[in-house]
Amino acid sequence: MAGRLPPAHRAAAVPAVRTRRPDVAGGDALWDMERSLRRRGFASVAGADEAGRGACAGPLVAAACVLPAGRRGRVPGLADSKLLTAAARDRVHDEVVERAVAWSVVVIPVPELDARGMHVTNLEALRRAVTALDPPADYVLTDGFPVPGLGVPSLAVWKGDRVAACVAAASVLAKVTRDRIMMDLHERFPEYDFAVHKGYTTEAHGAALERHGPCPEHRSRFVNVVRARDAHAVRELQLTGPGGMVDDGGMRTVSGEPR
């Protein structure tokens, strides 16, 4: 969804919000932070999260979401995307899209990640996702670390996808979108089995990297990708280069012949 720029930041309006430990959150607790912020006058509370930050292949996907107040905002089965099965994530994704006041998803391709670096690009992706909300949010909860430059009051929440419903919704949007992209990439590059590990570093993925070398969807800033690329380049040189010629000691330079 495309949206207008959010209103200017008002630092004095940021309230103190009590957070709940992720290991005790559950049931109604998932909606506590948004209720608290609405009571303080922030009617539109967005959550923002990303998927694929730790993967060595495939894009980074960031999402932002504003859930409605009341019963309509109680998305059945909503939880941190990492705690849900693939089938449950798909169901929750569709419910979020149907119920959300506003939502957005931003996909950052591998060349941009390689050019700018993960942290810088991650922050920019989250900003873009929040800015794209229409109608815009007037408060933002982010997962784990602060995101400067949002233009509205915000709060970084440790393991926010487990304690804040809007962040959990954003995590599901990002995860399902990215998983579907990785399934498509599996069709293009079946030798890496992206459909199984979704581009994260696993033993099987490492073995495929060593065997085939990286593809264009592998991130060149990752050490294992660089190592596999260099090793594969050496093997290709050994197979196709002049390395098979053996000097038996009987060769000598002929006058006029280039050295």
Side-chain angles (χ1 to χ4, degrees):
M1 291 185 175
R4 350 182 254 285
L5 287 173
H9 173 64
R10 301 184 303 276
V14 182
V17 180
R18 184 177 63 182
T19 61
R20 189 182 294 262
R21 283 170 45 204
D23 57 330
V24 300
D28 283 352
L30 194 62
W31 285 265
D32 280 351
M33 294 187 70
E34 286 160 81
R35 279 198 299 258
S36 176
L37 286 163
R38 289 190 183 104
R39 285 197 296 268
R40 288 161 172 81
F42 296 94
S44 180
V45 181
D49 199 4
E50 84 289 315
R53 184 172 55 188
C56 67
L60 176 75
V61 178
C65 183
V66 178
L67 293 174
R71 293 178 62 85
R72 183 163 177 77
R74 302 299 185 93
V75 178
L78 179 62
D80 171 10
S81 63
K82 296 183 290 296
L83 302 179
L84 300 173
T85 65
R89 278 196 300 268
D90 284 341
R91 288 194 299 270
V92 172
H93 173 277
D94 293 346
E95 287 282 354
V96 168
V97 169
E98 173 65 26
R99 294 166 180 249
V101 173
W103 64 275
S104 66
V105 172
V106 172
V107 179
I108 307 296
V110 168
E112 188 172 342
L113 294 173
D114 286 344
R116 302 184 64 191
M118 178 54 64
H119 186 62
V120 170
T121 312
N122 193 20
L123 293 176
E124 178 61 22
L126 290 167
R127 281 191 291 266
R128 286 168 56 184
V130 170
T131 300
L133 292 171
D134 185 16
D138 50 25
Y139 198 98
V140 179
L141 300 174
T142 59
D143 183 34
F145 53 86
V147 179
L150 292 176
V152 294
S154 63
L155 177 69
V157 183
W158 181 62
K159 294 193 175 179
D161 47 8
R162 299 193 183 190
V163 299
C166 57
V167 181
S171 78
V172 170
L173 292 174
K175 173 67 173 167
V176 170
T177 299
R178 188 176 187 279
D179 282 358
R180 290 173 179 175
I181 292 172
M182 297 309 296
M183 295 293 287
D184 290 340
L185 290 178
H186 175 78
E187 298 298 318
R188 292 173 53 196
F189 306 103
E191 62 270 27
Y192 300 101
D193 216 9
F194 287 143
V196 174
H197 52 69
K198 307 301 189 295
Y200 288 90
T201 301
T202 65
E203 186 175 346
H205 191 184
L209 264 174
E210 291 180 10
R211 187 178 310 115
H212 304 289
C215 75
E217 291 297 329
H218 282 98
R219 302 176 184 176
S220 65
R221 287 176 178 257
F222 276 67
V223 173
N224 60 329
V225 174
V226 173
R227 186 169 53 241
R229 180 197 65 199
D230 293 346
H232 193 69
V234 169
R235 286 197 301 272
E236 287 292 311
L237 182 63
Q238 290 171 342
L239 290 172
T240 62
M245 185 173 67
V246 177
D247 185 355
D248 62 2
M251 298 178 67
R252 62 186 178 85
T253 302
V254 177
S255 178
E257 203 176 66
R259 291 180 183 270

Coordinates of all heavy atoms in Angstrom, one line a residue, residues 4-74:
R4 N 0.8 8.5 2.5 CA 1.5 9.8 2.6 C 2.5 9.7 3.7 O 2.5 8.8 4.5 CB 0.5 10.9 3.0 CG -1.0 10.5 2.9 CD -1.8 11.7 3.2 NE -2.4 11.6 4.5 CZ -3.4 10.8 4.8 NH1 -3.9 10.0 3.8 NH2 -4.0 10.7 5.9
L5 N 3.4 10.8 3.8 CA 4.3 10.9 4.8 C 3.7 11.1 6.1 O 2.7 11.8 6.2 CB 5.3 12.0 4.5 CG 6.3 11.8 3.4 CD1 7.0 13.1 3.2 CD2 7.3 10.7 3.7
P6 N 4.1 10.4 7.2 CA 3.5 10.6 8.5 C 3.8 12.0 9.1 O 4.7 12.7 8.6 CB 4.2 9.5 9.4 CG 5.5 9.2 8.7 CD 5.2 9.5 7.2
P7 N 2.9 12.4 10.1 CA 3.1 13.7 10.6 C 4.4 13.9 11.4 O 5.1 12.9 11.7 CB 1.9 13.8 11.6 CG 1.6 12.4 11.9 CD 1.8 11.7 10.7
A8 N 4.8 15.1 11.6 CA 6.1 15.4 12.3 C 6.1 14.8 13.6 O 5.2 14.7 14.3 CB 6.3 16.9 12.3
H9 N 7.4 14.5 14.0 CA 7.6 13.8 15.3 C 7.4 14.8 16.5 O 7.8 16.0 16.4 CB 9.1 13.3 15.4 CG 9.5 12.8 16.7 ND1 8.9 11.7 17.3 CD2 10.4 13.3 17.6 CE1 9.5 11.5 18.4 NE2 10.4 12.5 18.6
R10 N 6.7 14.4 17.5 CA 6.5 15.2 18.7 C 7.1 14.5 19.9 O 6.5 13.6 20.5 CB 5.0 15.5 18.9 CG 4.3 16.1 17.8 CD 2.8 16.4 18.1 NE 2.1 15.2 18.5 CZ 1.5 14.4 17.6 NH1 1.7 14.6 16.4 NH2 0.9 13.4 18.1
A11 N 8.3 14.8 20.2 CA 9.1 14.1 21.2 C 8.4 14.1 22.6 O 8.3 13.1 23.3 CB 10.5 14.6 21.4
A12 N 7.7 15.2 22.9 CA 7.1 15.3 24.2 C 5.9 14.4 24.4 O 5.4 14.2 25.5 CB 6.7 16.8 24.5
A13 N 5.4 13.9 23.3 CA 4.2 13.1 23.3 C 4.4 11.7 23.6 O 3.5 10.9 23.7 CB 3.4 13.3 22.0
V14 N 5.7 11.2 23.6 CA 6.0 9.8 23.8 C 5.7 9.4 25.2 O 6.3 9.9 26.2 CB 7.5 9.6 23.5 CG1 7.8 8.1 23.7 CG2 7.8 10.0 22.1
P15 N 4.8 8.5 25.5 CA 4.4 8.1 26.8 C 5.3 7.0 27.3 O 6.0 6.3 26.5 CB 3.0 7.5 26.6 CG 3.0 7.0 25.3 CD 3.9 7.8 24.5
A16 N 5.3 6.7 28.6 CA 6.0 5.6 29.1 C 5.1 4.4 29.0 O 3.9 4.4 29.4 CB 6.3 5.8 30.6
V17 N 5.6 3.3 28.3 CA 4.7 2.2 28.0 C 5.3 1.0 28.8 O 6.5 0.7 28.6 CB 4.7 1.9 26.5 CG1 3.8 0.7 26.3 CG2 4.1 3.1 25.8
R18 N 4.6 0.3 29.6 CA 5.1 -0.8 30.3 C 5.1 -2.0 29.4 O 4.1 -2.3 28.7 CB 4.2 -1.1 31.5 CG 4.7 -2.3 32.3 CD 3.8 -2.5 33.5 NE 2.4 -2.9 33.1 CZ 1.5 -3.1 34.0 NH1 1.6 -2.9 35.3 NH2 0.3 -3.5 33.6
T19 N 6.3 -2.7 29.3 CA 6.4 -3.9 28.5 C 6.3 -5.1 29.3 O 6.5 -5.1 30.5 CB 7.8 -3.9 27.7 OG1 8.8 -3.9 28.7 CG2 7.9 -2.7 26.8
R20 N 5.9 -6.2 28.7 CA 5.7 -7.5 29.4 C 6.8 -8.5 28.9 O 7.1 -8.5 27.7 CB 4.3 -8.0 29.1 CG 3.9 -9.2 29.9 CD 2.5 -9.6 29.4 NE 1.5 -8.6 29.7 CZ 0.7 -8.7 30.8 NH1 0.8 -9.7 31.7 NH2 -0.2 -7.8 31.0
R21 N 7.2 -9.3 29.8 CA 8.2 -10.3 29.4 C 7.7 -11.2 28.4 O 6.5 -11.7 28.5 CB 8.6 -11.1 30.7 CG 9.6 -10.4 31.6 CD 9.8 -11.2 32.9 NE 10.0 -12.6 32.6 CZ 9.7 -13.5 33.6 NH1 9.2 -13.2 34.7 NH2 9.9 -14.8 33.3
P22 N 8.5 -11.5 27.3 CA 8.0 -12.4 26.3 C 7.5 -13.8 26.8 O 6.7 -14.4 26.2 CB 9.1 -12.5 25.3 CG 9.9 -11.3 25.6 CD 9.8 -11.0 27.0
D23 N 8.2 -14.3 27.8 CA 7.9 -15.6 28.3 C 6.6 -15.7 29.0 O 6.1 -16.8 29.3 CB 9.0 -16.2 29.1 CG 9.3 -15.4 30.3 OD1 9.1 -14.1 30.2 OD2 9.8 -15.9 31.3
V24 N 6.0 -14.6 29.4 CA 4.7 -14.6 30.1 C 3.6 -14.0 29.3 O 2.4 -14.0 29.7 CB 4.8 -13.9 31.5 CG1 5.8 -14.5 32.4 CG2 5.1 -12.4 31.3
A25 N 3.9 -13.5 28.1 CA 2.8 -12.9 27.3 C 2.0 -14.0 26.7 O 2.4 -15.1 26.4 CB 3.5 -12.1 26.2
G26 N 0.7 -13.7 26.5 CA -0.2 -14.7 25.9 C -1.6 -14.2 26.1 O -1.9 -13.4 26.9
G27 N -2.5 -14.8 25.3 CA -3.9 -14.4 25.3 C -4.1 -12.9 25.1 O -3.5 -12.3 24.2
D28 N -4.8 -12.2 26.0 CA -5.0 -10.8 25.9 C -3.8 -10.0 26.0 O -3.7 -8.8 25.6 CB -6.1 -10.3 26.9 CG -7.5 -10.7 26.6 OD1 -7.7 -11.2 25.4 OD2 -8.4 -10.6 27.4
A29 N -2.7 -10.5 26.7 CA -1.5 -9.7 26.9 C -0.9 -9.2 25.6 O -0.2 -8.2 25.6 CB -0.5 -10.6 27.7
L30 N -1.1 -9.9 24.5 CA -0.5 -9.5 23.2 C -1.0 -8.2 22.8 O -0.4 -7.5 22.0 CB -0.8 -10.6 22.2 CG 0.0 -10.6 20.9 CD1 1.5 -10.8 21.1 CD2 -0.5 -11.7 19.9
W31 N -2.2 -7.8 23.2 CA -2.8 -6.5 22.8 C -2.7 -5.4 23.9 O -3.2 -4.3 23.7 CB -4.3 -6.7 22.5 CG -4.5 -7.4 21.2 CD1 -4.8 -6.8 20.0 CD2 -4.5 -8.8 20.9 NE1 -4.9 -7.8 19.0 CE2 -4.7 -9.0 19.6 CE3 -4.3 -10.0 21.7 CZ2 -4.8 -10.3 19.0 CZ3 -4.3 -11.2 21.2 CH2 -4.6 -11.4 19.8
D32 N -2.0 -5.7 25.0 CA -1.9 -4.7 26.1 C -1.2 -3.4 25.7 O -1.7 -2.4 26.1 CB -1.1 -5.4 27.3 CG -2.0 -6.3 28.1 OD1 -3.2 -6.3 27.9 OD2 -1.5 -6.9 29.0
M33 N -0.1 -3.5 25.0 CA 0.7 -2.3 24.6 C -0.2 -1.4 23.7 O -0.1 -0.2 23.9 CB 2.0 -2.7 24.0 CG 2.9 -3.4 24.9 SD 4.5 -3.7 24.1 CE 5.1 -2.0 24.1
E34 N -0.9 -1.9 22.8 CA -1.7 -1.1 21.9 C -2.8 -0.5 22.7 O -3.1 0.7 22.4 CB -2.2 -1.9 20.7 CG -1.1 -2.2 19.7 CD -1.4 -3.4 18.8 OE1 -2.2 -3.2 17.9 OE2 -1.0 -4.5 19.1
R35 N -3.4 -1.2 23.6 CA -4.5 -0.6 24.4 C -4.0 0.5 25.2 O -4.6 1.6 25.3 CB -5.1 -1.7 25.3 CG -6.2 -2.6 24.6 CD -7.0 -3.3 25.6 NE -6.2 -4.2 26.5 CZ -6.1 -5.5 26.3 NH1 -6.8 -6.1 25.4 NH2 -5.3 -6.2 27.1
S36 N -2.8 0.3 25.8 CA -2.2 1.4 26.6 C -1.9 2.6 25.8 O -2.2 3.7 26.3 CB -0.9 0.8 27.3 OG -0.2 1.8 28.0
L37 N -1.4 2.5 24.6 CA -1.1 3.6 23.8 C -2.3 4.3 23.3 O -2.4 5.6 23.2 CB -0.2 3.2 22.6 CG 1.2 2.8 22.9 CD1 1.9 2.0 21.8 CD2 2.0 4.1 23.2
R38 N -3.4 3.6 23.0 CA -4.6 4.2 22.6 C -5.2 5.0 23.7 O -5.8 6.1 23.5 CB -5.6 3.1 22.1 CG -5.2 2.5 20.8 CD -6.3 1.7 20.2 NE -5.9 1.0 18.9 CZ -5.6 -0.2 18.8 NH1 -5.7 -1.0 19.9 NH2 -5.2 -0.7 17.7
R39 N -5.1 4.5 25.0 CA -5.6 5.3 26.1 C -4.9 6.6 26.3 O -5.4 7.6 26.8 CB -5.5 4.5 27.4 CG -6.6 3.4 27.5 CD -6.7 2.9 28.9 NE -5.5 2.3 29.4 CZ -5.2 1.0 29.3 NH1 -6.1 0.1 28.7 NH2 -4.1 0.5 29.7
R40 N -3.6 6.7 25.7 CA -2.8 7.9 25.8 C -3.0 8.8 24.6 O -2.2 9.7 24.4 CB -1.4 7.5 26.0 CG -1.1 7.0 27.4 CD 0.2 6.2 27.4 NE 0.6 5.9 28.8 CZ 0.1 4.8 29.5 NH1 -0.8 4.1 28.9 NH2 0.5 4.6 30.7
G41 N -3.9 8.4 23.7 CA -4.3 9.3 22.6 C -3.7 8.9 21.3 O -3.9 9.6 20.3
F42 N -3.0 7.8 21.2 CA -2.4 7.3 19.9 C -3.4 6.3 19.3 O -3.3 5.1 19.6 CB -1.0 6.7 20.1 CG 0.0 7.7 20.6 CD1 0.2 7.8 22.0 CD2 0.7 8.5 19.7 CE1 1.2 8.8 22.4 CE2 1.6 9.4 20.2 CZ 1.8 9.6 21.5
A43 N -4.2 6.7 18.4 CA -5.3 5.9 17.9 C -4.7 4.9 16.9 O -5.3 3.8 16.8 CB -6.4 6.7 17.2
S44 N -3.7 5.2 16.2 CA -3.2 4.3 15.1 C -1.7 3.9 15.5 O -0.8 4.6 15.4 CB -3.1 5.1 13.8 OG -2.6 4.3 12.8
V45 N -1.6 2.7 16.0 CA -0.4 2.1 16.5 C 0.1 1.1 15.5 O -0.6 0.1 15.3 CB -0.5 1.5 17.9 CG1 0.9 1.0 18.4 CG2 -1.0 2.5 18.9
A46 N 1.3 1.3 14.9 CA 1.8 0.4 13.9 C 2.9 -0.5 14.6 O 3.7 0.0 15.4 CB 2.4 1.1 12.7
G47 N 3.0 -1.7 14.1 CA 4.2 -2.6 14.4 C 5.0 -2.7 13.1 O 4.5 -2.7 12.0
A48 N 6.3 -2.8 13.3 CA 7.2 -3.0 12.2 C 8.2 -4.1 12.5 O 8.8 -4.2 13.6 CB 8.0 -1.7 11.9
D49 N 8.5 -5.0 11.5 CA 9.4 -6.1 11.7 C 9.9 -6.5 10.3 O 9.4 -6.1 9.3 CB 8.7 -7.3 12.4 CG 9.7 -8.2 13.0 OD1 10.9 -8.0 13.0 OD2 9.3 -9.3 13.5
E50 N 11.0 -7.3 10.3 CA 11.6 -7.8 9.1 C 11.8 -9.3 9.1 O 11.8 -9.9 10.2 CB 12.9 -7.0 8.7 CG 14.1 -7.6 9.3 CD 14.2 -7.4 10.8 OE1 13.9 -6.2 11.3 OE2 14.5 -8.3 11.6
A51 N 12.0 -9.9 7.9 CA 12.4 -11.3 7.8 C 13.5 -11.4 6.9 O 13.6 -10.7 5.9 CB 11.2 -12.1 7.3
G52 N 14.4 -12.3 7.2 CA 15.6 -12.6 6.3 C 16.8 -11.9 6.6 O 17.8 -12.0 5.9
R53 N 16.9 -11.2 7.8 CA 18.1 -10.5 8.1 C 19.3 -11.4 8.2 O 20.4 -11.1 7.8 CB 17.9 -9.7 9.4 CG 19.1 -8.8 9.8 CD 18.7 -7.9 11.0 NE 18.2 -8.7 12.1 CZ 17.7 -8.2 13.2 NH1 17.5 -6.9 13.3 NH2 17.3 -9.0 14.2
G54 N 19.1 -12.6 8.8 CA 20.2 -13.5 9.0 C 20.5 -14.5 7.9 O 21.4 -15.3 8.0
A55 N 19.7 -14.4 6.8 CA 19.9 -15.4 5.7 C 21.1 -15.0 4.9 O 21.4 -13.8 4.7 CB 18.6 -15.5 4.9
C56 N 21.7 -16.0 4.2 CA 22.8 -15.7 3.3 C 22.4 -15.7 1.9 O 23.2 -15.5 1.0 CB 24.0 -16.7 3.5 SG 23.7 -18.4 3.1
A57 N 21.1 -15.9 1.6 CA 20.6 -15.8 0.3 C 19.1 -15.3 0.3 O 18.4 -15.5 1.3 CB 20.6 -17.2 -0.4
G58 N 18.8 -14.6 -0.8 CA 17.4 -14.1 -0.9 C 17.3 -12.7 -0.3 O 18.2 -12.2 0.3
P59 N 16.1 -12.1 -0.6 CA 16.0 -10.7 -0.2 C 15.7 -10.5 1.3 O 15.4 -11.4 2.0 CB 14.7 -10.3 -1.0 CG 13.9 -11.5 -1.1 CD 14.9 -12.6 -1.3
L60 N 15.7 -9.2 1.7 CA 15.2 -8.8 3.0 C 13.8 -8.3 2.8 O 13.6 -7.6 1.8 CB 16.1 -7.7 3.6 CG 15.7 -7.1 4.9 CD1 16.0 -8.1 6.1 CD2 16.4 -5.8 5.1
V61 N 12.9 -8.7 3.7 CA 11.5 -8.2 3.6 C 11.1 -7.5 4.9 O 11.3 -8.1 6.0 CB 10.6 -9.3 3.3 CG1 9.1 -8.8 3.2 CG2 10.9 -10.0 2.0
A62 N 10.7 -6.3 4.8 CA 10.2 -5.5 6.0 C 8.7 -5.3 5.8 O 8.2 -5.1 4.7 CB 11.0 -4.2 6.1
A63 N 8.0 -5.3 6.9 CA 6.6 -5.0 6.9 C 6.2 -4.1 8.1 O 6.8 -4.1 9.1 CB 5.8 -6.4 7.0
A64 N 5.1 -3.4 7.9 CA 4.5 -2.6 8.9 C 3.0 -2.9 8.9 O 2.4 -3.1 7.8 CB 4.8 -1.1 8.7
C65 N 2.3 -2.8 10.1 CA 0.9 -3.1 10.1 C 0.2 -2.3 11.3 O 0.8 -2.2 12.4 CB 0.7 -4.6 10.3 SG -1.0 -5.2 10.4
V66 N -1.0 -1.8 11.0 CA -1.8 -1.2 12.0 C -3.1 -2.1 12.1 O -3.8 -2.3 11.1 CB -2.2 0.2 11.7 CG1 -3.2 0.8 12.7 CG2 -1.0 1.1 11.5
L67 N -3.3 -2.7 13.3 CA -4.6 -3.5 13.5 C -5.7 -2.6 14.1 O -5.4 -1.6 14.8 CB -4.3 -4.6 14.4 CG -3.3 -5.7 13.9 CD1 -3.0 -6.7 15.1 CD2 -3.9 -6.4 12.7
P68 N -6.9 -2.9 13.8 CA -8.0 -2.1 14.3 C -8.2 -2.4 15.8 O -7.8 -3.4 16.3 CB -9.2 -2.6 13.5 CG -8.9 -3.9 13.1 CD -7.4 -3.9 12.9
A69 N -8.8 -1.4 16.5 CA -9.1 -1.6 17.9 C -10.3 -2.6 18.1 O -11.0 -2.8 17.1 CB -9.4 -0.3 18.6
G70 N -10.4 -3.1 19.2 CA -11.6 -4.0 19.5 C -11.5 -5.4 19.0 O -10.4 -5.9 18.6
R71 N -12.6 -6.0 18.9 CA -12.7 -7.4 18.5 C -12.1 -7.7 17.1 O -11.5 -8.7 16.9 CB -14.1 -8.0 18.6 CG -14.7 -8.0 20.0 CD -16.1 -8.5 20.0 NE -16.2 -9.8 19.5 CZ -16.0 -10.9 20.2 NH1 -15.8 -10.8 21.5 NH2 -16.2 -12.1 19.7
R72 N -12.3 -6.7 16.2 CA -11.8 -7.0 14.8 C -10.3 -7.1 14.8 O -9.8 -7.8 13.9 CB -12.3 -5.9 13.9 CG -11.9 -6.1 12.4 CD -12.7 -5.3 11.5 NE -12.2 -5.4 10.1 CZ -12.5 -6.5 9.4 NH1 -13.2 -7.5 9.8 NH2 -12.0 -6.6 8.1
G73 N -9.6 -6.4 15.7 CA -8.2 -6.5 15.7 C -7.6 -7.8 16.4 O -6.4 -8.0 16.3
R74 N -8.5 -8.6 17.0 CA -8.1 -9.8 17.6 C -7.9 -10.9 16.5 O -8.8 -11.7 16.3 CB -9.1 -10.3 18.7 CG -9.3 -9.2 19.8 CD -8.0 -9.0 20.5 NE -8.2 -8.1 21.6 CZ -8.4 -8.5 22.9 NH1 -8.5 -9.8 23.1 NH2 -8.5 -7.6 23.8

